[in-house]
Amino acid sequence: MSARPRPLLLGTAAIAVAVTLSGCTQKASGEDGAVSVTASDSACKVSTTEFPAGHVSLALENKGSRVTEVYVLFPDDRIAAERENLGPGTKATLVTELGPGDYEIACKPGMKGDGIRQKVKLTGRNAAAERSPEADAAVAAYRSYVLAQAEQTLPKAKAFAAAVEAGDVEKAKKLYAPSRIGWERTEPVAESFGDIDPKVDVREDGLEDGQDPETDWTGWHRLEKALWQDKKIGDREKELAGRLMTDLDAWVKKVGTAEITPTSMANGAKSLLDEVALNKVTGEEERYSHTDLVDFKANLEGARKSYDLLKPIARKNDSSLARELDKQFASLTKQLDVYRTDDGADQDSYTYRSYDKVSEAERKDLSDGVNALAEPLSKLAAAVAK
């Protein structure tokens, strides 16, 4: 994952708004009908605190000096939508589907902490009641896929944890990357719960200010460091292996209750490509094991699954976009599989070249391929919301 917790996303509203928050709800003329969210280092201003439920479009702008991210949160802090890595001076438009009710919009300068929050209220009818049969089918199929990936992760993670608990460094190394595939395929949904992701998938530089790596850092990457850098397993690592399984068990129990919409699927696919661009291609994710390309493949597969399920809607609403996405998904898959080192027969357990053996020129080519897919994929949510 990236260096902080994250989520899903947002689509088109029926009102036009464009004024900054002044303590009361206001409406203004916005030609695109978007709700504007202006983030800075000390504020999170929303142009209106009440707007219609359904497909909602958020016009985001970071006027601060630090990279920020914007979340839409349910009252219990589950993530309904998100846009991460919004750099200083950057603007972005996010499209999602939200039901009526109370939410909070949170801006996180520096991408850490609870964020600067603004309460908002969405009114009107539940958007899910107006979905097409194709949209309902896509959501149902994706929910089944996410649950299956979570359930398939448990035995692989259990084998990995057992090797750690047995003190078998070499066996644990072999089982590490396969144990993460299901998680990486469905990462945006896993992250939508907020509390599980920081326990199982945070890197050391993703810890919150004031957290101690010796006592507060848990999960896969803490064990990765012990196996590859420290080259030893102690009592603390054995304890953390058991804790990893406890946290993954909680994930599996929760995943069936995730809020899933067609636009969250589309935005989740884009989020997975962002993960690749920001952490896998750079080599930051698996900095000790160098198994980044396994994560890359899983992220790409998860994004492709979302797109494939949404393709009937995308093809009907924007056929040229669907053709471009077909082309770019196929191209990047072919490009990545050049680095595959197994026979390709098992789609649920694959191996790739160690990322420290991938040259800078090859990394640049992979990055270019990711960017070529990310650009049309960023338009999928809007196409689905038409």
Side-chain angles (χ1 to χ4, degrees), residues 14 72 82 104 111 119 133 171 183 214 237 256 259 342 369:
V72 180
E82 168 242 24
E104 285 187 324
M111 302 192 299
K119 294 183 183 296
K171 185 175 182 179
W183 174 275
E214 293 299 319
E237 286 72 37
E259 294 284 338
D342 60 81

Side-chain angles (χ1 to χ4, degrees), residues 236-248:
R236 174 60 173 165
E237 286 72 37
K238 293 177 181 180
E239 175 192 344
L240 291 176
R243 185 179 300 184
L244 174 65
M245 289 311 304
T246 297
D247 293 332
L248 290 176

Side-chain angles (χ1 to χ4, degrees), residues 125-172:
R125 298 178 60 185
N126 193 324
E130 301 175 1
R131 283 188 199 145
S132 67
E134 294 91 344
D136 281 339
V139 168
Y142 187 67
R143 187 179 298 281
S144 295
Y145 171 75
V146 168
L147 184 57
Q149 290 300 311
E151 291 174 341
Q152 290 167 19
T153 295
L154 281 185
K156 295 180 180 181
K158 186 175 181 179
F160 167 68
V164 174
E165 290 170 338
D168 193 332
V169 172
E170 292 307 313
K171 185 175 182 179

Side-chain angles (χ1 to χ4, degrees), residues 5-8 71-82 108 117 142-143 146-147 150 183 186-200 247-260:
R6 310 174 351 225
L8 300 174
Y71 289 83
V72 180
L73 302 169
F74 291 104
D76 61 1
D77 259 18
R78 285 178 302 125
I79 298 165
E82 168 242 24
K108 290 190 177 183
R117 301 190 177 198
Y142 187 67
R143 187 179 298 281
V146 168
L147 184 57
W183 174 275
T186 60
E187 199 166 1
V189 174
E191 291 170 344
S192 71
F193 297 108
D195 58 334
I196 295 177
D197 179 73
K199 295 177 182 178
V200 305
D247 293 332
L248 290 176
D249 280 333
W251 164 51
V252 173
K253 290 175 182 177
K254 285 187 175 184
V255 75
T257 67
E259 294 284 338
I260 298 174

Side-chain angles (χ1 to χ4, degrees), residues 37 44 46 68-73 104-109 114-118:
V37 179
C44 187
V46 184
T68 194
E69 54 191 3
V70 178
Y71 289 83
V72 180
L73 302 169
E104 285 187 324
I105 292 179
C107 304
K108 290 190 177 183
D114 292 332
I116 304 163
R117 301 190 177 198
Q118 170 63 55

Side-chain angles (χ1 to χ4, degrees), residues 357-374:
K357 306 301 183 185
V358 177
S359 70
E360 288 300 318
E362 290 172 323
R363 294 186 185 199
K364 174 63 165 56
D365 287 342
L366 287 169
S367 179
D368 290 344
V370 171
N371 291 336
L373 173 57

